Amino acid sequence: MTLAPNEHLPDQDRPPDVEPPPRVRRARAMPPWWFALPALVLFAFVVLVPSIRGVYYAFTDWDGLDPSFSFVGLDNFADMVRDPDAVQAIRHTLLIAVSITVIQNALGLLLALGVNSAIKSRNLLRVFLFAPAVITPIVTAYLWRNLLSPDGAVNSLLGAVGLDGWRQDWLGSPQVALWSVVGVIVWQFAGYSMVIFLAGLQSVPKEVHEAAAIDGAGPVRRFWSVTRPLLAPALTINLMLSIIGGIKLFDQVYALTGGGPGHATDTISTLIYKDAFTLGEFGYSIALAVVLTIIVAVVSAGQYLVLSRNERAAS
Amino acid sequence: MKTRIPTVLPAVVTAGALLAACSGGTEAGDSGGGGSKTLTLASVDQGSVEDVVKAFEKANPGVKVRYTTSGADQYQQQIRTQLSSGTAPDVMSVWPGNGNPGATYVLAKPGYLRDLSDQPWAAKMPDAIKSVAQYEGKTYNAIFGQNGIGAVYNQQALEKAGLTPPDTWKDLLEFCRAAKAKGTPAFALGNQDNWVTQLVQYALVATTVYGDDRDFDKKMQAGQATFAQSPWTTALDKYLTMERTGCFQKNPLGTNYEASQGLAATGKTLGIVQGNWVIALLKGKNPKGTFTFKALPATDDPSATIVPAAAGAGYGVNAKAKNKDLALKFVNFVMSPEGMNLFVKKQGGLPSLPDTGYAVDPSLTELSKFITEDRTVPFMDQLWPNPKVQQTMLSGLQEIFSDQSTPEKVLKEMDADYKAGS
């Protein structure tokens, strides 16, 4: 027979029924803050200080080269509002970010549900579907640039199966190019979302599903009432990652279309690059970067608040 | 980026720095040791500077050149960062004129380049080249080669189609129609890479704008002329006429530079409108092919045709070079007949100085003739006041080709950027 820790002691020998001393408990729960000091110093030195110093240039007319430049206040931000390229780039960025977030996660969830079933080749399928996510984005972008060229494999395939009318100048037509970029990114990262959803799905206890099935719940009902609430944390992670990635999008766009034709696929990031390195407008470009940072911070904070409330409601 | 740093070099450099520090000053250290033997160099002449470095090292026993090469985009970022942080190499690639982030005016204005006016070759430069190698009357750029823009034909494809290169505007359109009828469009156009969009335009502007008015740039600078109110509109109209006539393959906006080379090299088109530098690349894709450079006509009078021909990127000396003497020695080697011929032969261009004893490649005979007859103008952007004018034109041309903009609108935008000045 096992005894609870103090059960065998006479009453008078029991320690008083109080909490352990707070100092000791807190020490166990959280290591002293100065443990993080070396990392904090390094972070401050390499990331924080340069970033804050960099922000200063957003209020100057620095060209990236000339040591003499002047403080121009909010001029760069005012120019941005008047700059049709910047306004258009912000619109594209938000459109791309939202489309990617929706399509990539919907597809990722479907794939996860698929490969979570008991089919024989599911492990092989998981590997195949996840494979694009481990390739460097720039490589996949160059690959797709060739596949999507007017004489490329995609158009040849469409021709071969009799869908001549669907053939497009995928990257050269302003109406289509933006969606081609979205398509390539979804192709690459749907597998990534899938893996996170898969981890969520596998944490759903079988017994709960079985109990629901015995109670007469069909597959749709089981997904909605049992699986979905338990997937909430995976959904939060996926949505956060894809919206932040979508807003910051640079390399795939730059390699696929260079922001073109014209400015039809420019995002804030490609515009930052062009303004800084092609036009030598560093001050303006850093102002754009500051705006990008603010957009990322606001969108991800808002999203986090909404999603974590949903998560609590679901659990 | 290709980097070549022999493993012993860091040690040598460190030792050198320590010695210099011990002797109480970097200058003293250098001269005390009979001059440092290491030159640092950053270059955009990928594939050709390697040979020049080898020849320079051979001509100067004991000297080591530590160099990096990179593409233009990457180089322009790198050199700006290095210059503003004081870590730039002794010698660096510098573009002629103005209008790009690594150009002579842009780097000389804040004082990053050493004045090279006292070097022996500076006075020998032809005027057209001098104008873009100088800033405020002083020479800063050792420009060793020049290039032209025109039609480069695939001889085998021409013979197969039974056509000959046109030398009037009327014949050009006839040539395009005939070529299209035979199923091989006249020219490959790789407008997905936006810098390519300007080449046909420049080739046409040379004749339509500068044929009647060699002082057009001076008028622009004085505010007496605009793009929108000049024959720039004629040239743009001809560009679009070529497109409508079927001079180019389908979907030029989905075709990149690399793909356009493939089309011309393998005879899927009869040629390509490009700089003469494309000849070496076409030969790389089809070693058996013969490619010839011809002017692109824009009027019906062949004697009025003018070719855009301009100085290519040259070399400048860092105003704060750690090894001034060796830097000057290298630049002078580049400008010597030996260095210059090595460079232009490998790049498929023409030397910038006369009397170098250079045997012109047969594919460039026509370009060489235009240059000696003074029937050339510099690339238009080299004398524009800021890089924005060109960028507006490049994306504007893509927008015109995809019906997002109109020629009038683009030319007006270019005028606005031009007026904004430097």
Side-chain angles (χ1 to χ4, degrees), chain B residues 2-278:
Chain B
K2 264 190 298 185
T3 319
R4 205 194 62 161
I5 305 172
T7 42
V8 289
L9 251 171
V12 174
V13 173
T14 318
L18 283 174
L19 277 176
C22 292
S23 65
T26 46
E27 296 284 326
D30 278 352
S31 56
S36 166
K37 295 283 190 183
T38 303
L39 176 74
T40 51
L41 166 72
S43 167
V44 291
D45 296 305
Q46 285 172 315
S48 51
V49 74
E50 292 82 356
D51 292 0
V52 177
V53 164
K54 254 183 234 154
F56 178 69
E57 284 177 344
K58 206 173 162 199
N60 297 278
V63 167
K64 266 279 163 211
V65 181
R66 216 172 95 212
Y67 69 102
T68 60
T69 64
S70 39
D73 277 2
Q74 195 196 355
Y75 174 82
Q76 286 167 7
Q77 292 178 40
Q78 169 203 330
I79 206 71
R80 289 176 87 101
T81 314
Q82 288 181 333
L83 283 169
S84 55
S85 64
T87 54
D90 299 331
V91 179
M92 66 200 107
S93 282
V94 177
W95 278 271
N98 199 355
N100 92 41
T104 311
Y105 294 14
V106 178
L107 300 183
K109 201 171 147 204
Y112 286 119
L113 296 180
R114 186 192 191 280
D115 182 4
L116 300 173
S117 311
D118 53 353
Q119 300 306 307
W121 44 266
K124 287 192 225 154
M125 274 189 170
D127 287 344
I129 292 185
K130 211 183 259 172
S131 70
V132 288
Q134 291 189 335
Y135 173 72
E136 293 188 335
K138 289 177 186 162
T139 304
Y140 290 96
N141 195 349
I143 293 171
F144 57 84
Q146 41 186 344
N147 292 302
I149 296 171
V152 173
Y153 292 99
N154 178 330
Q155 286 301 131
Q156 284 81 3
L158 277 182
E159 277 157 31
K160 206 173 148 204
L163 294 169
T164 46
D167 57 6
T168 65
W169 172 246
K170 213 178 96 211
D171 289 350
L172 175 68
L173 295 183
E174 210 44 61
F175 175 82
C176 288
R177 285 189 201 104
K180 196 186 168 194
K182 289 185 193 293
T184 41
F187 303 108
L189 185 60
N191 274 1
Q192 188 182 30
D193 284 310
N194 77 359
W195 69 270
V196 174
T197 59
Q198 67 193 324
L199 300 174
V200 176
Q201 178 70 5
Y202 282 4
L204 296 168
V205 161
T207 308
T208 52
V209 176
Y210 295 85
D212 294 329
D213 188 1
R214 284 306 194 87
D215 290 330
F216 182 73
D217 280 308
K218 284 190 188 121
K219 288 183 187 159
M220 282 292 286
Q221 282 153 14
Q224 293 160 352
T226 61
F227 293 115
Q229 305 283 319
S230 71
W232 265 81
T233 52
T234 320
L236 199 41
D237 188 51
K238 291 195 173 193
Y239 193 172
L240 294 173
T241 304
M242 284 179 75
E243 155 81 350
R244 278 194 299 271
T245 311
C247 290
F248 310 115
Q249 91 286 1
K250 255 181 153 183
N251 297 325
L253 283 174
T255 310
N256 58 43
Y257 179 41
E258 174 91 17
S260 71
Q261 292 166 31
L263 292 173
T266 55
K268 288 195 181 111
T269 63
L270 302 183
I272 185 169
V273 179
Q274 262 290 345
N276 56 275
W277 55 77
V278 83

Side-chain angles (χ1 to χ4, degrees), chain A residues 153-164 167:
Chain A
V154 173
N155 276 342
S156 306
L157 194 71
L158 287 172
V161 297
L163 292 170
D164 279 302
R167 292 163 65 118

